[in-house]
Amino acid sequence: MISHLSLIVIDEELARNGIDLLFDAFDRGKSARTSIPIFIARGKTAEDVLSVIEPLEITPGKNIVSTTKNNQQMYGSSSEVLVYEAISALLSEGKDVLLPGISIRNDSKKAKQTSNFETTTPAILESKGLAIFRKGKLVRWLDGETARAANFVTSEINRTPVVLPCGDKGNVTINTIGVKSKIKTEIHHEQPVIHTSMNVMAETVNTSCELDLSNPKLLKEFEKKMGNKLKKQIKKTISIAQKEKADIFGFGDALSRTNPNYWRQHKKNWDNLFSEAQISMKVNVNVINSGMRMEPYEPK
């Protein structure tokens, strides 16, 4: 039966108690597939999530996968994690697990019935946040900008809109179209220092301000604003992970490669060292496209 699975959905309650032993059959079984995605049923049981009959997709499993992929590609606040990736993180001493959540919007008694088709507000499955694990146990959820920031650090993000103020009341929306992150580590006075650098390629999507987007000085200004905004969000997310002592970014793995001797001596205490580690960050944004139209439409 394991060889025919297309995805795995885990109860949130079970995840909080620990998922270490759940993947033993996948790790040992000869016919087990480890390239299938895993999800946490947020606030619901896995049975509840997999029983929803949606108007556009009768098979919940297919919809869960497509919903998560769409969120990852368009908004960046979720990500697809495969079984072998989760097993690798569980076995690692320098990285904790980060799994996507799935929930039910407009949940009702009709969610499991074909009458769910007949209502104007049917129950639907939605991608909802990222679950932080520490030593195999779910400890906290990341949502919205903090979830997206986690994917920025790990480069698990493609397109996502960033809204910046312009003028008195207007905004300009800039879409990322490529993100590449790097992690470097070093030791100062027997304490780990983690350096993260990120290059973001972006393009302007729309603006409600009267701006000349062909002006390179203006684009440089937006690049700086966007870089500062992303840096603030990422620092907040890393701070949350440090508070939970959950290295969901794999900083410990990076340290073990660059400073193997130090790692061998301190790996058993990595959760405490990570929680107090100094983090330096650089975010470089390059807006390479301002769209076909350089100026906003003006009312007549």
Side-chain angles (χ1 to χ4, degrees), residues 75-101:
Y75 304 106
S77 59
S78 187
S79 61
E80 184 180 74
V81 180
L82 305 182
V83 168
Y84 74 86
E85 293 173 317
I87 292 175
S88 176
L90 286 169
L91 295 175
S92 172
E93 294 174 300
K95 185 176 182 180
D96 284 298
V97 182
L98 186 69
L99 295 178

Side-chain angles (χ1 to χ4, degrees), residues 131-196:
I132 294 180
F133 285 76
R134 180 181 177 231
K135 296 183 178 179
K137 294 183 179 181
L138 194 162
V139 294
R140 183 167 179 164
W141 287 93
L142 294 176
D143 287 296
E145 292 181 345
T146 55
R148 182 177 68 173
N151 285 330
F152 267 111
V153 176
T154 57
S155 296
E156 295 291 335
I157 197 167
N158 292 313
R159 302 183 69 89
T160 184
V162 178
V163 180
L164 302 173
C166 61
D168 295 329
K169 297 181 180 179
N171 294 298
V172 59
T173 301
I174 300 178
N175 251 6
T176 65
I177 56 176
V179 177
K180 188 173 183 180
S181 301
K182 292 183 179 180
I183 298 172
K184 292 183 179 180
T185 60
E186 59 180 344
I187 307 301
H188 279 309
H189 304 295
E190 288 301 306
Q191 296 297 317
V193 178
I194 300 168
H195 301 279
T196 63

Side-chain angles (χ1 to χ4, degrees), residues 38-269:
I38 311 169
F39 304 89
I40 305 297
R42 187 169 183 179
K44 300 290 179 179
T45 66
E47 181 180 3
D48 289 336
V49 168
L50 292 172
S51 297
V52 174
I53 301 176
E54 290 196 84
L56 298 178
E57 180 59 74
I58 297 178
T59 306
K62 290 183 179 179
N63 192 59
I64 291 172
V65 174
S66 62
T67 297
T68 302
K69 284 185 176 180
N70 181 66
N71 182 291
Q72 182 177 11
Q73 293 173 358
M74 299 304 296
Y75 304 106
S77 59
S78 187
S79 61
E80 184 180 74
V81 180
L82 305 182
V83 168
Y84 74 86
E85 293 173 317
I87 292 175
S88 176
L90 286 169
L91 295 175
S92 172
E93 294 174 300
K95 185 176 182 180
D96 284 298
V97 182
L98 186 69
L99 295 178
I102 199 78
S103 186
I104 305 173
R105 184 192 296 180
N106 303 325
D107 193 14
S108 68
K109 294 181 180 179
K110 295 182 179 180
K112 302 177 183 180
Q113 305 170 5
T114 55
S115 57
N116 189 41
F117 300 167
E118 301 169 0
T119 176
T120 56
T121 56
I124 59 172
L125 297 174
E126 65 175 347
S127 178
K128 193 171 183 182
L130 296 173
I132 294 180
F133 285 76
R134 180 181 177 231
K135 296 183 178 179
K137 294 183 179 181
L138 194 162
V139 294
R140 183 167 179 164
W141 287 93
L142 294 176
D143 287 296
E145 292 181 345
T146 55
R148 182 177 68 173
N151 285 330
F152 267 111
V153 176
T154 57
S155 296
E156 295 291 335
I157 197 167
N158 292 313
R159 302 183 69 89
T160 184
V162 178
V163 180
L164 302 173
C166 61
D168 295 329
K169 297 181 180 179
N171 294 298
V172 59
T173 301
I174 300 178
N175 251 6
T176 65
I177 56 176
V179 177
K180 188 173 183 180
S181 301
K182 292 183 179 180
I183 298 172
K184 292 183 179 180
T185 60
E186 59 180 344
I187 307 301
H188 279 309
H189 304 295
E190 288 301 306
Q191 296 297 317
V193 178
I194 300 168
H195 301 279
T196 63
S197 61
M198 185 181 309
N199 289 315
V200 180
M201 305 293 284
E203 60 183 5
T204 56
V205 178
N206 58 61
T207 177
S208 58
C209 299
E210 295 184 11
L211 302 172
D212 179 9
L213 295 178
S214 64
N215 186 343
K217 290 184 178 180
L218 185 62
L219 291 181
K220 287 294 181 183
E221 181 182 336
F222 283 131
E223 288 173 350
K224 184 177 180 180
K225 286 183 178 180
M226 183 172 171
N228 289 336
K229 183 171 185 177
L230 292 179
K231 187 183 294 185
K232 183 178 180 181
Q233 293 173 1
I234 293 168
K235 282 185 175 180
K236 180 179 178 181
T237 301
I238 293 177
S239 178
I240 291 173
Q242 287 183 303
K243 182 179 179 180
E244 299 295 342
K245 297 184 178 181
D247 183 4
I248 55 176
F249 311 105
F251 293 150
D253 279 349
L255 181 64
S256 69
R257 293 190 295 270
T258 56
N259 296 274
N261 292 332
Y262 179 89
W263 178 253
R264 280 193 293 270
Q265 296 173 18
H266 298 88
K267 61 182 179 180
K268 291 184 179 180
N269 190 40

